Amino acid sequence: MFPFNEQNAKKRAFVDKARAEREQREKQRIKQKEEQKLSHSAIIIQKIFRKHLNKKQNLSNLRNSWDVDSGFSIDCNKSNDNYSSTMSQKNSSEILSLAKLLFGFFNPKQEPLDNARFSHLCKLILSTTNPSNKANQIVVPFHFLLINERYGNCTLNLMKKILWQCVERIIGHADSKNSQTISLYLSGTEIRLLIHFLNPVNYVVKGNVPNSSNLTNSITTLLSQNLIIFHNFLSQKGFYILIGSGMSLRVNSMLTLRSRAKKVKLSTEDEKKLNSTNLWILACIKCCLFLLDSNFEGGHLQSSTEQLVQHYSEKNKLIMFFIHILSTPCLLSSLDDSCLDMLRKWNIPTKIIETMRDNDSLLQILNGLTGNDAIFLMGNIVELVSKSDLIALSISETSSKVKQVSSIQIHDFIEIITSLLQHCHKFVSSIKSNTHYQYHPIFKWYSGKHDSNIPNSHFNLVITQLEYLWQRLFISKAFDHVLNFKPTVKDQSNLLKLSPRKNSFSDKKISLTSGKVTIYAIETQAVCRLYVLLLKLLTDQKHDIIMNLTYIPSLVPNLWKFLMCLGPKGNMEIFLNGSVVKAPEKEPLISILELFCECCSILLLTTDDDELYDMQNPFSIETDVIPMAVFFNRFCFALLSHSSPEGYPPTIFESARRVLLQLHSRDTRRSFSEESIWLLIKDPKKSLPKSLKDLFKKSLSSNNNDKDLMGMSFLDRIRDNDPISIKILNLLPHTIPFETRLEIFRDYLKNGVPIILNSEIMIRVRRDHVLDDGYKHLGGLNPVKTKGRIRVKFVNETGTEEDGVDQGGPFKEFITQLIAEAFDPSCGLFAVTPNSSMLYPNHQNTSTKITLYSFLGKMIARAIQEGILVDVQFAGFFLSKMAGRAVFLEDLIGLDDDLLKNLLFLKRYDGNVEDLGLYFAVDEESNGKVVSKDLRIGGSHLSVTNDNRIQYIYLMADYKLNKQAKEQTRAFINGFQSMIPENWLRMFSPPELQRVLSGEDVNWDVSDLRKYTLYQNGYFDQHRSIRHFWSILEEMNSNDKSAFLKFVTSCSKPPLGGFKYLQPQFTIRMISSDHASPVENVNSSRSRLSMGQVKSLFSSLGNLKSASKERLPMSSTCFNLLKLPCEYRLSRFVKAFYEE
């Protein structure tokens, strides 16, 4: 920089001034440039605006000119929506010029009156098709200009525009005089023009030109060619899409009005609207049908026309018709008889089947449908077919050809509905997820596009449409070949003998023509697949579907007979094939078995023992039930063995297992077979037999020690936590011997007790308030603490704590007394069956807290864990619930014999059931009042009929067994299963669970008790008194031995597996003849035998009348301890025993 002096300062000021002036000039230049741009823009805008004004003026002039030329006039004193037209006859060429001019300015968005002008044009065009009869006046129809060399191309292009504008007009809204109301377009010249110019009949020259018949045919051919061009143009443009969108709105409107008409009388305006809507739907469907077939009603084309290249074939049009028109929600429900007749006249039902049975066409249709579209298309197809004669539900013709055609039609129809159901299944889930998050009125959780325009009432209506599929008449027709199926066998006497061959039930093969069975199998699997999908998708209708299927006479039994004939060997061996059990979903015939399982499980629920065992109805024990039990036993075992160790078994497993468990429960209650048919692992302590080793290969392959596992026994596999073996134990326990399951159960109980440090609980219990004090101290504990160490200190009648330390005995006495008090019928918590005195929760006990039942469930479970046998006999149905099993009609035996008798009478009643005056309601007493409860919604107003009596029987038994004491039962079982997991309890059948609770009801072996007896205070096994004691005990009868066992253990039954499992171990203690020591009296239950039993055992102690109490034998049941005096004489002992 310059040095700071006066000269430099002047130079610097000069430079700054020059810079400022330069910047100022630049700003002025930029400003001038911007002003020039703004000026130029203003000029352009002014030009455009002037051009717009000129164009608007020109368009206005064109409109005015068009109005004058066409005879269209406007009443300026009224709204723009009001217009009048003066029809004057014009020839087609003049109308063509008017049409060309109209589309030059046509813009209804900016000028709404253009729609009125277009309507006027349509009137002019239609006037040429129906000219006035004036002398010497010849009017050429407007569309005949198509064959004019001069006007042909122009007419073709204009007619395309006219037709498409008609389509857009009819699917939109009508011109309204009131701008605040918007109504749908329902009638007008546009829809009449569309019908006329799409109808092939109007393209046929009627009559002949004299001496020129060839000319007439040529004109017809040329006109028809243009018709095909129109049809293809509209199809490509989206005709069906637009009509479908308009159709949906008008069907909604019509169904709403019809629904309102059922409640109140419609107004005149609504009546008119309803009729107009119906006519609109009829007209649009007619237009759609015109596009489907150009040859209809005289519109036949010449061979040259057939060679015309068509962009849209008839098949493609049909596909678009199905996707966009027939998928309109509840369309068929809105149509009247005339419209249905029109569809039948066009042979639409047959075309549906012919088109959709083609795989390529079906795929195109499905690709264009959402889940909602598919269900509504299905509903419309079903209703259309049901209202047509395509599938006759009863065939009276004797012609085999007619029957064959009908069979083919119903088979194709079923295949089509099945395909649509499978497509719907892609959008459905039973649980909510990231993809299936929309609630659907039919499908529950849905992944498709939500359409808010579909009212919920439409979903109820589509179910009504689909109900045709599970009506009894249709089911009977679909299963006609099964219902009439009669297999012949070579030797029925040996058919049911079990064969030593693998996977075989009989050495005799069913003799049937292989081709006949194959055809039947294909048809049957298609029908069964349809109903399996219906059961999966329509969960709310599942009960009605399965009930209608189940009680079609002879369907389920014949379906079993048919299953027995499948495959080259028959006897169900096809389903036991290795490839089938590994991937059953890939076996086409598996749907037959799956549907049979669903129906059979319902049939067995309502079949009583008299029917099954005595009448052999619906199944024969020898020829049906036993082979069924053998098959399902092996089938379920094979499915589990081949299932993924970590995953779930195949879908069919659950339904097959349900049938299997029902058969096993039947056999348990009333045997129909030998035990050997159930046991598949007969000796779990040995290595698996060769026939079963292959079934475990899948589970072994995931383990590194294959060689070691192959030689392991089933019991060792369980203890090694082999997942497949554990699944079999949990889900198919009856295939394993009871003794093995009991041993595993005890291992579970031993390992399942939590080890919690410093968690000991001490409670004080008054002897005369054991239940109250026990519930007070333990009722609020969680299951983990309830399993822990609990010490009991008893308080006597004076309020003083009893001496002694609880080392397990007092707790046993506490829990034994608590259970005895709680389950005493006089307590009111549990009721008893009238004849057998079996216990079950008392539903009339409403004053007791529900949590008390949960507490009692925990105490019963704690008794099992401690190995304490309880003298409580539960009712069979209640034991089934405890074990997590379903109950049957026959479980009413003992609970309410009169009800069972009446239900069976109703089931077999030959007369009119309505004469009995029954309703779907039950009366019962509650708090001194008779209360009526509905068995189903509105049941008190629904009478029982011959058709619904099975449902009544089912619901009445369900109420009595499952709902009457639902709260009490659920609380007890929740408490019970909180201590012992349900999957552990499932290892046992109800009778087996009772044995686990109360011990073996058998004449027990004295030598087994002697083997596991301890001796105290000088006694030993060969002591003279002990030897005499055992010799007398061995000579007792069963009743006396049971009484003795109850005297020393508080339970009359021995523990399962023998006295090895008696806890604490049975002990005989020597006591002096003078008195018992203080310790001996501690926690004694002071049990006494009956006088006769005491005389039998211990009369040698002296004269009973003079004997002191201290010289009598005593017991402490809490320790399983017998206190036996040592002084007696053998001869008097024996003599007294035999005298007694």
Side-chain angles (χ1 to χ4, degrees):
M1 295 295 295
F2 302 105
F4 182 77
N5 51 44
E6 184 177 357
Q7 186 177 0
N8 291 338
K10 290 180 179 179
K11 290 181 178 180
R12 183 172 182 179
F14 175 78
V15 170
D16 291 341
K17 182 180 179 182
R19 184 187 300 115
E21 290 176 352
R22 187 171 59 252
E23 290 178 354
Q24 182 66 26
R25 289 194 299 272
E26 181 64 22
K27 289 180 180 180
Q28 290 178 354
R29 188 184 66 80
I30 293 174
K31 184 178 180 181
Q32 290 176 357
K33 189 175 182 180
E34 290 294 331
E35 289 177 351
Q36 290 175 357
K37 285 184 178 179
L38 290 174
S39 177
H40 182 67
S41 298
I43 293 172
I44 293 175
I45 293 174
Q46 289 174 0
K47 286 182 178 180
I48 294 174
F49 183 70
R50 284 194 297 269
K51 185 177 180 180
H52 171 72
L53 289 177
N54 291 334
K55 182 178 179 181
K56 187 175 181 181
Q57 184 63 41
N58 291 336
L59 290 175
S60 178
N61 293 334
L62 287 175
R63 286 187 174 94
N64 292 333
S65 175
W66 192 91
D67 293 344
V68 172
D69 293 343
S70 66
F72 180 79
S73 64
I74 305 173
D75 188 352
C76 299
N77 296 324
K78 298 181 180 180
S79 170
N80 286 340
D81 289 333
N82 296 326
Y83 67 91
S84 62
S85 60
T86 57
M87 291 294 297
S88 59
Q89 190 69 52
K90 297 184 180 297
N91 60 44
S92 296
S93 60
E94 293 174 335
I95 296 174
L96 180 64
S97 299
L98 289 172
K100 187 187 301 184
L101 180 60
L102 175 66
F103 283 103
F105 60 79
F106 187 74
N107 191 351
K109 291 184 179 179
Q110 293 184 1
E111 180 56 60
L113 201 58
D114 282 353
N115 282 328
R117 292 184 174 92
F118 180 76
S119 297
H120 182 65
L121 176 65
C122 293
K123 289 182 181 180
L124 294 175
I125 294 174
L126 288 173
S127 68
T128 66
T129 63
N130 188 21
S132 59
N133 296 323
K134 294 184 178 181
N136 302 322
Q137 184 177 15
I138 300 175
V139 179
V140 178
F142 181 77
H143 61 288
F144 273 50
L145 294 177
L146 292 167
I147 59 175
N148 185 282
E149 184 177 358
R150 178 180 176 184
Y151 301 113
N153 290 333
C154 180
T155 305
L156 179 65
N157 293 329
L158 281 175
M159 281 199 68
K160 287 181 180 180
K161 291 182 179 181
I162 292 170
L163 291 174
W164 184 248
Q165 183 59 33
C166 286
V167 174
E168 290 185 335
R169 280 285 291 145
I170 67 173
I171 61 98
H173 293 85
D175 297 327
S176 175
K177 298 180 182 180
N178 187 354
S179 60
Q180 295 180 351
T181 60
I182 299 177
S183 59
L184 295 173
Y185 178 101
L186 296 177
S187 62
T189 55
E190 293 89 348
I191 199 165
R192 288 191 282 118
L193 182 142
L194 198 63
I195 293 174
H196 183 85
F197 285 104
L198 292 182
N199 190 348
V201 174
N202 296 321
Y203 288 78
V204 177
V205 178
K206 298 178 181 178
N208 293 320
V209 179
N211 302 321
S212 301
S213 60
N214 292 333
L215 178 60
T216 301
N217 293 334
S218 299
I219 294 174
T220 299
T221 301
L222 291 173
L223 289 173
S224 298
Q225 289 176 356
N226 285 281
L227 174 63
I228 292 177
I229 292 174
F230 293 151
H231 286 182
N232 289 333
F233 164 75
L234 292 176
S235 299
Q236 292 176 338
K237 190 79 172 175
F239 173 80
Y240 290 108
I241 297 175
L242 277 186
I243 294 296
S245 63
M247 189 80 70
S248 179
L249 294 175
R250 286 153 182 85
V251 168
N252 291 351
S253 175
M254 173 174 283
L255 293 177
T256 301
L257 289 172
R258 286 184 179 177
S259 177
R260 189 188 306 165
K262 294 179 181 179
K263 301 175 183 178
V264 297
K265 184 178 180 180
L266 295 179
S267 63
T268 304
E269 184 179 351
D270 285 341
E271 286 281 0
K272 182 179 179 182
K273 182 179 178 181
L274 183 62
N275 294 332
S276 298
T277 305
N278 183 62
L279 291 174
W280 186 96
I281 294 175
L282 177 65
C284 287
I285 290 180
K286 184 177 290 186
C287 291
C288 293
L289 297 178
F290 286 150
L291 264 66
L292 295 180
D293 188 2
S294 300
N295 301 326
F296 182 74
E297 289 187 350
H300 56 277
L301 307 181
Q302 301 298 322
S303 58
S304 59
T305 307
E306 296 174 358
Q307 298 175 2
L308 185 68
V309 177
Q310 298 186 27
H311 297 287
Y312 252 63
S313 67
E314 183 178 343
K315 186 179 76 170
N316 289 332
K317 294 175 187 176
L318 277 169
I319 290 173
M320 298 300 290
F321 178 73
F322 298 154
I323 293 175
H324 300 292
I325 306 301
L326 273 188
S327 65
T328 302
C330 309
L331 172 63
L332 265 291
S333 299
S334 67
L335 302 183
D336 59 9
D337 293 339
S338 61
C339 194
L340 290 172
D341 290 339
M342 183 175 65
L343 291 173
R344 287 192 288 263
K345 193 174 182 180
W346 252 273
N347 208 16
I348 294 301
T350 302
K351 288 183 178 180
I352 290 173
I353 293 180
E354 290 176 349
T355 303
M356 296 187 71
R357 72 182 178 186
D358 178 69
N359 291 333
D360 293 336
S361 300
L362 180 61
L363 184 60
Q364 283 183 265
I365 294 171
L366 296 180
N367 288 337
L369 299 174
T370 64
N372 276 338
D373 294 337
I375 194 74
F376 286 118
L377 173 61
M378 189 186 342
N380 287 326
I381 291 175
V382 170
E383 185 170 0
L384 178 59
V385 169
S386 67
K387 291 180 177 180
S388 68
D389 298 328
L390 184 63
I391 298 176
L393 294 178
S394 59
I395 298 179
S396 58
E397 293 88 352
T398 57
S399 171
S400 60
K401 183 177 181 181
V402 173
K403 291 184 178 181
Q404 183 180 4
V405 171
S406 178
S407 176
I408 292 173
Q409 287 176 338
I410 191 171
H411 175 72
D412 292 335
F413 170 72
I414 288 172
E415 287 284 1
I416 290 167
I417 300 302
T418 302
S419 298
L420 290 171
L421 286 170
Q422 288 174 328
H423 184 70
C424 290
H425 198 265
K426 299 176 182 179
F427 298 85
V428 179
S429 175
S430 59
I431 58 175
K432 187 177 181 180
S433 64
N434 292 333
T435 55
H436 300 78
Y437 56 87
Q438 297 181 65
Y439 181 78
H440 195 280
I442 296 176
F443 302 140
K444 303 308 178 188
W445 296 108
Y446 180 66
S447 64
K449 183 180 179 181
H450 176 67
D451 190 349
S452 58
N453 294 325
I454 302 177
N456 284 336
S457 59
H458 283 15
F459 295 104
N460 297 329
L461 199 53
V462 76
I463 292 298
T464 303
Q465 290 179 316
L466 295 176
E467 283 178 355
Y468 171 76
L469 297 175
W470 55 88
Q471 287 178 0
R472 294 194 173 191
L473 289 174
F474 180 80
I475 294 173
S476 299
K477 179 60 186 173
F479 284 102
D480 180 65
H481 51 285
V482 174
L483 294 173
N484 296 318
F485 183 73
K486 294 180 180 179
T488 57
V489 296
K490 292 181 179 179
D491 185 1
Q492 285 190 342
S493 62
N494 295 323
L495 184 60
L496 283 226
K497 293 182 180 179
L498 300 181
S499 170
R501 294 180 300 165
K502 182 180 179 182
N503 297 343
S504 178
F505 307 117
S506 173
D507 289 327
K508 301 296 179 182
K509 290 173 59 178
I510 296 177
S511 176
L512 280 168
T513 305
S514 177
K516 185 178 180 181
V517 174
T518 302
I519 295 173
Y520 284 173
I522 294 172
E523 295 178 355
T524 306
Q525 72 89 17
V527 178
C528 292
R529 188 153 48 97
L530 167 68
Y531 287 105
V532 168
L533 284 169
L534 285 172
L535 293 173
K536 290 179 180 178
L537 284 174
L538 308 183
T539 53
D540 290 342
Q541 288 70 40
K542 180 176 180 179
H543 180 267
D544 293 338
I545 297 172
I546 201 68
M547 292 294 283
N548 286 355
L549 283 166
T550 301
Y551 294 105
I552 294 293
S554 303
L555 176 59
V556 179
N558 278 22
L559 203 56
W560 171 252
K561 291 179 175 63
F562 182 74
L563 283 166
M564 290 283 284
C565 297
L566 297 178
K569 298 180 179 180
N571 297 321
M572 306 299 289
E573 290 193 14
I574 186 175
F575 297 107
L576 292 171
N577 184 277
S579 60
V580 174
V581 295
K582 288 179 182 178
E585 65 280 355
K586 295 182 180 179
E587 168 55 49
L589 300 179
I590 203 69
S591 57
I592 306 177
L593 181 60
E594 189 171 356
L595 186 65
F596 170 79
C597 292
E598 294 288 348
C599 296
C600 187
S601 62
I602 296 295
L603 188 61
L604 290 175
L605 277 176
T606 54
T607 301
D608 58 89
D609 286 350
D610 291 342
E611 286 180 305
L612 187 62
Y613 291 91
D614 300 333
M615 303 178 189
Q616 303 278 305
N617 181 43
F619 299 107
S620 166
I621 294 293
E622 291 296 322
T623 59
D624 296 322
V625 176
I626 294 178
M628 199 183 298
V630 174
F631 164 72
F632 281 112
N633 204 39
R634 293 191 64 86
F635 181 66
C636 291
F637 190 92
L639 287 177
L640 268 190
S641 303
H642 284 86
S643 64
S644 170
E646 296 80 16
Y648 294 97
T651 305
I652 192 176
F653 172 79
E654 200 54 46
S655 55
R657 176 176 173 267
R658 191 160 53 245
V659 175
L660 174 62
L661 292 183
Q662 289 177 349
L663 292 171
H664 183 258
S665 296
R666 290 268 185 181
D667 188 53
T668 301
R669 186 174 64 248
R670 182 175 172 180
S671 178
F672 58 74
S673 66
E674 299 177 358
E675 185 182 7
S676 59
I677 74 167
W678 303 110
L679 292 178
L680 296 180
I681 304 176
K682 298 184 178 180
D683 192 348
K685 295 185 179 181
K686 295 182 180 180
S687 61
L688 294 174
K690 185 177 180 181
S691 59
L692 295 179
K693 281 185 179 180
D694 291 340
L695 299 180
F696 286 87
K697 286 182 178 180
K698 189 165 187 176
S699 64
L700 294 176
S701 61
S702 61
N703 196 302
N704 295 328
N705 301 321
D706 288 355
K707 293 183 178 180
D708 296 334
L709 284 174
M710 285 300 292
M712 290 175 65
S713 67
F714 183 82
L715 188 58
D716 291 335
R717 294 175 188 274
I718 292 292
R719 289 169 175 165
D720 198 50
N721 290 323
D722 174 51
I724 296 296
S725 301
I726 292 175
K727 280 185 180 181
I728 292 172
L729 176 66
N730 291 336
L731 300 176
L732 302 175
H734 60 269
T735 60
I736 307 164
F738 172 70
E739 294 76 13
T740 304
R741 285 180 277 131
L742 184 62
E743 185 176 349
I744 295 170
F745 180 68
R746 284 174 171 149
D747 287 345
Y748 283 171
L749 292 178
K750 181 179 178 181
N751 299 327
V753 177
I755 301 176
I756 305 176
L757 299 177
N758 301 323
S759 64
E760 182 176 287
I761 298 174
M762 175 67 74
I763 62 174
R764 296 175 76 253
V765 178
R766 295 170 293 173
R767 283 199 173 272
D768 53 349
H769 295 84
V770 176
L771 177 59
D772 293 338
D773 290 350
Y775 177 62
K776 176 182 177 181
H777 294 298
L778 303 177
L781 297 180
N782 59 42
V784 175
K785 290 186 177 180
T786 307
K787 292 179 182 179
R789 183 70 181 271
I790 300 175
R791 293 188 181 276
V792 178
K793 179 70 72 172
F794 279 105
V795 179
N796 59 26
E797 293 81 355
T798 64
T800 306
E801 291 186 356
E802 296 179 358
D803 296 332
V805 179
D806 183 3
Q807 296 181 349
F811 179 73
K812 178 191 174 185
E813 184 178 359
F814 158 73
I815 203 169
T816 302
Q817 290 186 14
L818 183 146
I819 290 173
E821 181 180 343
F823 290 90
D824 188 334
S826 62
C827 182
L829 293 174
F830 284 79
V832 294
T833 56
N835 299 325
S836 54
S837 298
M838 299 294 183
L839 293 165
Y840 63 94
N842 185 3
H843 69 278
Q844 294 182 343
N845 186 358
T846 57
S847 59
T848 303
K849 293 182 178 180
I850 292 296
T851 52
L852 180 56
Y853 285 95
S854 178
F855 168 70
L856 293 177
K858 292 178 182 179
M859 291 299 100
I860 290 290
R862 181 62 193 264
I864 294 176
Q865 290 174 338
E866 294 291 333
I868 300 172
L869 299 178
V870 294
D871 196 8
V872 175
Q873 301 294 317
F874 288 119
F877 80 95
F878 186 60
L879 285 167
S880 297
K881 291 177 174 294
M882 291 174 66
R885 300 199 178 197
V887 291
F888 306 87
L889 177 66
E890 291 295 324
D891 286 301
L892 286 171
I893 296 176
L895 175 63
D896 196 332
D897 291 336
D898 291 337
L899 175 62
L900 178 61
K901 181 180 178 181
N902 292 334
L903 291 179
L904 295 181
F905 168 79
L906 174 64
K907 184 179 180 181
R908 299 165 188 163
Y909 185 64
D910 294 331
N912 187 358
V913 173
E914 292 186 70
D915 295 339
L916 302 177
L918 297 174
Y919 292 86
F920 278 81
V922 58
D923 295 334
E924 63 178 22
E925 186 175 348
S926 177
N927 297 325
K929 298 180 180 179
V930 176
V931 180
S932 179
K933 296 183 178 180
D934 288 352
L935 297 177
R936 56 177 292 180
I937 298 175
S940 57
H941 304 288
L942 180 63
S943 62
V944 181
T945 64
N946 289 41
D947 292 333
N948 63 21
R949 58 177 160 183
I950 295 298
Q951 185 181 13
Y952 172 80
I953 293 170
Y954 176 85
L955 292 175
M956 180 62 78
D958 179 63
Y959 175 79
K960 195 72 176 178
L961 294 169
N962 297 322
K963 296 181 179 178
Q964 194 172 44
K966 181 180 179 180
E967 298 298 326
Q968 296 89 338
T969 301
R970 181 166 55 187
F972 181 90
I973 292 176
N974 286 344
F976 184 66
Q977 294 181 353
S978 69
M979 301 280 288
I980 303 176
E982 183 180 355
N983 60 321
W984 294 5
L985 297 170
R986 283 181 178 173
M987 289 193 290
F988 305 110
S989 65
E992 290 171 343
L993 182 57
Q994 184 65 64
R995 291 166 64 188
V996 173
L997 286 167
S998 303
E1000 295 275 12
D1001 191 9
V1002 295
N1003 187 10
W1004 49 273
D1005 186 6
V1006 175
S1007 62
D1008 185 53
L1009 176 62
R1010 184 173 184 177
K1011 181 179 179 181
Y1012 296 103
T1013 299
L1014 297 177
Y1015 302 98
Q1016 294 179 352
N1017 288 7
Y1019 275 145
F1020 54 92
D1021 186 66
Q1022 294 302 316
H1023 191 282
R1024 185 181 63 173
S1025 299
I1026 296 300
R1027 283 190 286 110
H1028 291 322
F1029 168 77
W1030 292 120
S1031 65
I1032 296 303
L1033 198 59
E1034 285 179 348
E1035 296 178 12
M1036 282 186 172
N1037 60 35
S1038 178
N1039 292 334
D1040 287 341
K1041 286 196 292 185
S1042 296
F1044 167 76
L1045 204 57
K1046 186 174 181 64
F1047 172 71
V1048 294
T1049 67
S1050 77
C1051 185
S1052 60
K1053 298 177 183 178
L1056 291 175
F1059 289 98
K1060 173 184 177 181
Y1061 298 100
L1062 182 64
Q1063 296 294 331
Q1065 196 168 350
F1066 177 58
T1067 304
I1068 301 177
R1069 177 183 295 174
M1070 180 189 294
I1071 61 173
S1072 66
S1073 58
D1074 297 329
H1075 60 276
S1077 65
V1079 175
E1080 292 166 4
N1081 285 324
V1082 173
N1083 296 324
S1084 172
S1085 67
R1086 295 172 176 82
S1087 297
R1088 295 282 189 272
L1089 288 167
S1090 66
M1091 185 57 67
Q1093 293 156 349
V1094 171
K1095 286 168 66 180
S1096 299
L1097 270 175
F1098 307 112
S1099 60
S1100 58
L1101 296 176
N1103 190 343
L1104 291 175
K1105 294 181 180 180
S1106 61
S1108 63
K1109 293 182 179 180
E1110 286 76 18
R1111 292 179 58 84
L1112 292 176
M1114 302 176 65
S1115 69
S1116 293
T1117 55
C1118 56
F1119 293 107
N1120 295 334
L1121 173 65
L1122 174 64
K1123 302 171 183 178
L1124 185 63
C1126 63
E1127 296 182 2
Y1128 66 92
R1129 287 181 296 172
L1130 176 61
S1131 59
R1132 295 187 63 185
F1133 182 88
V1134 176
K1135 181 179 178 182
F1137 177 80
Y1138 283 108
E1139 286 178 353
E1140 184 66 20

